[in-house]
Amino acid sequence: MSLKIYVPRDSAALAVGADEVAAAIAAEAAKRGIDIELVRNGSRGLFWLEPMVEVVTGAGRIAYGPVEVEDVAGLFDAGFQVGGVHVLQLGLTEEIPYLKRQERLTFARMGVTDPISLADYQAHEGYAGLRRALALQATEVVQQVLDAGLRGRGGAAFPAGIKWKTVAGLKATQKYVVCNADEGDSGTYSDRMTMEGDPLMLIEGMTIAAVSTGATQGYIYIRSEYPHAVETMRKAITVAEAGGFLGDNILGSGHSFHLHVRKAAGAYVCGEETAMLESIEGKRGIVRAKPPIPAIQGLFGKPSVINNVITFASVPIILSRGATFYKDYGVGRSRGTLPIQLAGNIKFGGLVEKAFGVTLRELMYDYGGGSASGRPIKAVQVGGPLGAYVPESQWDIPLDYEAYAAVGAVVGHGGIVVHDDTADMASLARYAMEFCAIESCGKCTPCRIGSTRGVEVIDRIANGASEQRPQQIKLLRDLCDTMVHGSLCAMGGMTPFPVLSALDHYPQDFGMTVPDRKAA
């Protein structure tokens, strides 16, 4: 019987030599006459330990990491293939505190299975959700999603079930299911991890959406910077089709659903659903005015269910275990779990899946271990490049859509970027405006012109005479107000969030000695 060894194939692991480590393990095993089965799994999301190699033992899977090519011979000398003691040994994988303290629902299989093995997927609850969905009426499936309280994980937090119910209630010659995998926010990677580490889960979620709304065609829109995700999704679609889980007459149910991958051209604004639709249709990615909403007139003018990767990926467990099981996690109107991504100046960067209600302080210190630099943490940007900077006074607010909205912040896609006390918040605010100026689709004036004027005003604040700063800061606030209330989409509407939060909480970085809103 061969010994089973797991080496991740996730992009993060590949970037630090996982392919080379896998090749070295295979070569060393052959040299020693040891029969092994080498499985390329997804990453567990403990990125500071990558490549993290796991071996199957009678006691469970034991992890070693981070493993480099030059460590491989020594690992075999220590008998690591059967769980032998070595300086890189991390113990039983499931007992690693960072992992053990999480609530992994959506990411339960991540790093556990071979991403493109249909047998492996089904052995770990895969397709149980679709089988249950096929046994229910379409309206009952939609009701499960509504009852679970699932909201869009892409950032808008709109109830997914309402979108599904709208599309399901329409009559049309063609309906679509579209997955927005244009993950462009800074410090985010949960979509990429899902597509590379458990792609069949995403396919299953989209298929459940299709059979419950009457859609027969689907598209996954993946950013071009994710070549491994594109390749893995295409392989997984082929596997699902061969197994009867995609294509015509799914599992003999009479339902048909065909899925296609579309590679994005690299525009941040295409993370907005209507700009994405324009791009899929072969046009320039420009935001559409609404109404009509995409659920009624979406892709190619037809009713379309549009959700983010994590939204669709959360559906299979809701169907397999029931809406109540999922809803029992979370707080308030924020139900279930969120894959939170720790990045920036953080000691232990990686993915943490927790029920809503966890705090930034817990995430940064109990999981992240504080700043990588060892210096005090000054600010945390939550929710991508258009998210607010959260000061220490707000680090104990539960991670919850409404609680964050109440203080002018957003949860967004769950990306957290940490900055220590050397960060210049005026420069970061300027970056937000410059980012918007570069990435704006240009359709509306507040976003297109406002962001450019914003850069100029911040430069005047930083470089101008001190007596002129209060006037310039008032001008910046007025400009932000125009962008928030006048922009066509969240690109311009949210750019003021990081700017205003920097002004409000770090006035000293703008040359002000007191909160400027009192002076203005």
Side-chain angles (χ1 to χ4, degrees):
M1 182 178 177
S2 62
L3 303 167
K4 189 173 281 189
I5 299 176
Y6 290 82
V7 181
R9 48 175 286 171
D10 178 273
S11 292
L14 295 180
V16 288
D19 275 349
E20 292 79 4
V21 168
I25 289 173
E28 192 68 25
K31 177 181 173 183
R32 297 177 185 233
I34 300 172
D35 185 20
I36 67 166
E37 179 188 351
L38 192 63
V39 181
R40 303 305 300 274
N41 59 324
S43 173
R44 300 266 190 168
L46 286 65
F47 290 140
W48 74 97
L49 296 175
E50 292 292 8
M52 189 173 83
V53 177
E54 296 179 68
V55 298
V56 177
T57 72
R61 281 163 67 160
I62 294 178
Y64 298 80
V67 177
E68 297 183 13
V69 170
E70 51 266 33
D71 299 319
V72 171
L75 284 167
F76 275 97
D77 289 340
F80 95 109
Q81 70 275 13
V82 290
V85 177
H86 187 274
V87 67
L88 295 178
Q89 190 188 72
L90 303 166
L92 290 168
T93 310
E94 300 293 342
E95 295 298 317
I96 297 173
Y98 189 96
L99 196 58
K100 188 177 183 180
R101 294 196 305 267
Q102 298 185 33
E103 287 94 45
R104 290 211 164 187
L105 302 185
T106 307
F107 277 61
R109 280 178 296 269
M110 205 65 60
V112 176
T113 59
D114 175 346
I116 53 176
S117 167
L118 190 56
D120 221 359
Y121 182 66
Q122 291 186 85
H124 292 82
E125 205 178 337
Y127 279 117
L130 177 60
R131 292 182 190 278
R132 180 163 182 250
L134 292 173
L136 296 173
Q137 295 294 319
T139 53
E140 294 175 308
V141 177
V142 173
Q143 194 61 48
Q144 284 287 302
V145 177
L146 282 166
D147 291 346
L150 178 65
R151 295 165 72 175
R153 296 293 192 254
F158 188 82
I162 293 178
K163 287 186 176 183
W164 293 28
K165 187 174 182 178
T166 302
V167 174
L170 296 171
K171 291 184 178 180
T173 55
Q174 179 66 62
K175 297 179 183 180
Y176 295 98
V177 173
V178 183
C179 178
N180 191 337
D182 192 44
E183 185 177 49
D185 283 355
S186 49
T188 57
Y189 41 81
S190 62
D191 290 0
R192 177 192 60 73
M193 282 184 67
T194 299
M195 292 184 287
E196 294 179 2
D198 199 3
L200 290 166
M201 172 176 60
L202 173 57
I203 292 171
E204 182 181 1
M206 293 184 70
T207 307
I208 292 170
V211 301
S212 64
T213 60
T216 57
Q217 296 286 335
Y219 290 85
I220 306 174
Y221 184 80
I222 308 176
R223 65 186 312 216
S224 58
E225 294 89 344
Y226 284 175
H228 297 292
V230 170
E231 180 187 5
T232 305
M233 283 308 311
R234 285 177 173 158
K235 287 180 179 177
I237 288 170
T238 300
V239 166
E241 288 172 340
F245 294 95
L246 264 183
D248 295 324
N249 196 23
I250 295 168
L251 297 179
S253 66
H255 291 282
S256 297
F257 182 55
H258 298 268
L259 198 50
H260 316 275
V261 170
R262 287 294 179 267
K263 190 158 67 172
Y268 180 78
V269 75
C270 288
E272 195 278 336
E273 60 182 6
T274 63
M276 174 192 66
L277 295 179
E278 291 285 293
S279 180
I280 294 174
E281 292 176 7
K283 306 169 192 172
R284 182 182 169 203
I286 296 180
V287 175
R288 296 177 183 174
K290 291 183 277 190
I293 59 172
I296 296 172
Q297 193 172 316
L299 187 63
F300 301 115
K302 301 296 184 181
S304 304
V305 172
I306 303 173
N307 284 125
N308 156 269
V309 171
I310 301 300
T311 314
F312 282 125
S314 301
V315 170
I317 197 167
I318 291 172
L319 267 296
S320 66
R321 299 196 189 184
T324 302
F325 167 82
Y326 192 79
K327 193 174 183 178
D328 280 347
Y329 291 86
V331 293
R333 290 177 51 220
S334 302
R335 311 313 307 176
T337 60
L338 179 69
I340 300 150
Q341 301 124 92
L342 299 180
N345 194 335
I346 194 79
K347 189 174 183 182
F348 302 128
L351 184 125
V352 178
E353 184 177 358
K354 292 289 288 182
F356 285 97
V358 67
T359 68
L360 278 182
R361 198 179 301 276
E362 291 175 75
L363 290 165
M364 291 189 297
Y365 292 101
D366 294 353
Y367 290 91
S371 70
S373 64
R375 299 185 63 87
I377 294 173
K378 179 176 180 176
V380 192
Q381 189 172 31
V382 182
L386 308 183
Y389 289 102
V390 182
E392 186 171 6
S393 61
Q394 297 175 352
W395 291 352
D396 296 310
I397 295 174
L399 204 66
D400 163 60
Y401 293 119
E402 279 65 44
Y404 266 56
V407 295
V410 293
V411 172
H413 186 43
I416 292 174
V417 180
V418 177
H419 299 270
D420 72 10
D421 63 352
T422 62
D424 178 359
M425 303 309 295
S427 294
L428 289 174
R430 184 190 189 280
Y431 172 80
M433 282 292 189
E434 185 179 39
F435 179 82
C436 181
I438 293 168
E439 295 292 343
S440 173
C441 77
K443 186 164 186 175
C444 71
T445 303
C447 177
R448 182 183 73 250
I449 303 299
S451 54
T452 302
R453 296 290 88 86
V455 172
E456 295 169 356
V457 174
I458 293 173
D459 283 343
R460 288 201 293 272
I461 292 169
N463 304 319
S466 59
E467 62 271 15
Q468 294 178 345
R469 284 198 187 111
Q471 179 186 6
Q472 291 300 313
I473 287 176
K474 185 179 187 305
L475 178 61
L476 182 59
R477 287 190 179 280
D478 288 346
L479 179 63
C480 285
D481 184 70
T482 299
M483 292 179 70
V484 167
H485 295 102
S487 297
L488 191 58
C489 81
M491 182 79 228
M494 286 183 64
T495 292
F497 282 32
V499 178
L500 293 172
S501 60
L503 272 173
D504 289 343
H505 304 301
Y506 308 95
Q508 65 278 9
D509 288 20
F510 292 84
M512 305 296 288
T513 56
V514 294
D516 68 277
R517 55 172 61 178
K518 293 179 182 177

